[in-house]
Amino acid sequence: LTLIEQTERGQDREEIEMKWKTVAIVGAVLFLAGFLLGFIPEHQRASKLGKQLETALLESKLREIRALASLSYIDASKMNYGSAAEDSDRMFGLAREVANDTKDDGLRSSLNGLSTFRDTVMGKLSAADASVLEPLQQIVQKTQRELKR
């Protein structure tokens, strides 16, 4: 082989190596672009579904607080103070939990407002005091008015 032929073969080899490198880089870029095009919409959808789930869970907990307030009032009106105390304790505990977890300042304020009744209600229920109906009625009205979403 002559020097010219060897030089041409070297150039061919370099051109082939450059073509393979270019193909590999373009392939990697296309793969990454395809991955991102598939990932971004799925991530957005998952984020949206996560927010919907969070909203549904909050609504469920608020519904449970309203139901427990109503049950407490009904039980106390039937002079079933033990059951009313259990329902009230669960209601106040759930209200505290939701207030601690929520980012909504208005909702947190409403839920913390319920806790101002806790000592009075629990004390009157443990003493089987029929005057507990007044604060329980206020709680029921407050939950029905302020905890609807």
Side-chain angles (χ1 to χ4, degrees):
L1 293 172
T2 65
L3 186 57
I4 296 173
E5 289 175 347
Q6 289 176 353
T7 305
E8 286 176 0
R9 281 189 182 173
Q11 287 175 347
D12 288 342
R13 197 175 291 151
E14 287 176 14
E15 288 176 13
I16 291 172
E17 285 178 15
M18 285 298 290
K19 286 181 184 178
W20 279 108
K21 287 180 184 177
T22 303
V23 168
I25 291 171
V26 169
V29 168
L30 288 175
F31 175 77
L32 184 61
F35 174 76
L36 290 176
L37 286 174
F39 175 76
I40 292 172
E42 286 300 315
H43 176 70
Q44 290 173 337
R45 192 173 119 224
S47 177
K48 180 181 173 184
L49 289 173
K51 288 177 185 175
Q52 287 176 350
L53 177 61
E54 188 176 308
T55 300
L57 288 173
L58 176 62
E59 288 174 2
S60 173
K61 288 179 181 180
L62 295 177
R63 195 173 303 117
E64 185 174 358
I65 291 169
R66 290 192 307 269
L68 288 168
S70 298
L71 284 172
S72 296
Y73 179 79
I74 291 169
D75 286 339
S77 70
K78 293 179 180 179
M79 295 185 205
N80 189 352
Y81 298 112
S83 182
E86 289 174 11
D87 292 337
S88 293
D89 190 47
R90 285 181 35 216
M91 176 199 59
F92 288 124
L94 187 56
R96 185 178 341 105
E97 175 188 322
V98 174
N100 290 337
D101 292 345
T102 190
K103 297 170 187 159
D104 182 343
D105 291 334
L107 177 59
R108 184 179 301 112
S109 176
S110 293
L111 291 168
N112 287 334
L114 286 179
S115 67
T116 61
F117 290 97
R118 181 181 178 85
D119 292 338
T120 303
V121 167
M122 297 308 287
K124 288 183 177 190
L125 286 172
S126 67
D129 184 349
S131 68
V132 74
L133 290 176
E134 184 181 327
L136 282 175
Q137 183 178 20
Q138 291 173 357
I139 290 171
V140 170
Q141 290 170 343
K142 184 175 178 66
T143 59
Q144 293 299 322
R145 184 178 58 246
E146 297 178 12
L147 301 185
K148 295 252 179 174
R149 296 279 163 183

